[in-house]
Amino acid sequence: MLAVIRGAGDIATGIALRLYRAGIKIVMTDLPQPTSIRRTVCFSEAIRHGTAVVEGVEACLAENAAEARKIAESGRVAVLVDPEAVCVKTLRPDALVDAILAKKNMGTRITDAPVVVAVGPGFTAGVDCHAAVETMRGHTLGRVLYEGSPLPNTGVPGVIAGYAAERVLRAPADGVFEPKKEIGAQVKKGEVAAVVSGKPMLCKIDGCLRGLMQAGAVVFEGMKCGDVDPRGIPDNCTTASDKAIAVGGGVLEAILHFTHALD
């Protein structure tokens, strides 16, 4: 079975890990310049470096759909620069997963593959996808909806160890991102994590720097550019998050549900 995943950020990577370990071949698509924050657990890093390894699974950049298929069949995850997922027409996957997390539908249709699964708000099961998976932290995280839509985006990050919006680091200005810390570093409230156009991006809480935009990225004021985990556990920076794994389990359920129905 072959699945194409739109997006290759941290949630999409958690999805890819669960599908890959269930024996499904994976091709992922993303932007030419990915904006992933938790880069140490994102297969999108293969676009910048040629390869990326997360939890022992290797992803490789492919030049085209044909090469992506060969990589996927070789036991690795293939990553394509293909934000519109044009490769779907050539690859004709058994399943398509929209994990862009744009909070709206960026062009995915229920007719794109025999099984189409969408992640997060902006989709309606039975209309533009066969199933949708809940991404809101809480009791419904990772649940599969076979009708209806995931909960709407609240604009407030999920609570971790008592902190929500305080965890997120946002660009203080428009300009080029200059990190002053590394992912995995222990930080204190008030420390400078990065600088943009001469303005400091300050940590709001103590914890471990779980995510940070790459050097040289062009950002805009208010853009999410970092994430501090108040639990302060460096190992969490190198493994898929609880949220990503939960959502990935929901996607796997949905694919198997419809695959068995088609058999």
Side-chain angles (χ1 to χ4, degrees), residues 14-24 26 54-57 240 245 252:
I15 294 168
L17 288 172
R18 299 212 75 167
L19 301 190
Y20 176 89
R21 289 168 177 155
I24 299 173
I26 306 294
V54 180
E55 295 191 14
V57 178
I245 291 299
L252 179 58

Side-chain angles (χ1 to χ4, degrees), residues 31-85:
L31 301 165
Q33 296 180 327
T35 56
S36 302
I37 303 298
R38 298 175 191 163
R39 295 178 286 111
T40 49
V41 289
C42 292
F43 284 140
S44 59
E45 285 291 272
I47 293 175
R48 297 201 306 129
H49 302 297
T51 62
V53 178
V54 180
E55 295 191 14
V57 178
E58 182 183 17
C60 297
L61 179 64
E63 291 295 323
N64 51 51
E67 185 180 4
R69 185 186 293 278
K70 290 180 181 179
I71 291 171
E73 290 177 347
S74 74
R76 296 168 292 170
V77 171
V79 182
L80 272 172
V81 174
D82 183 10
E84 305 300 325

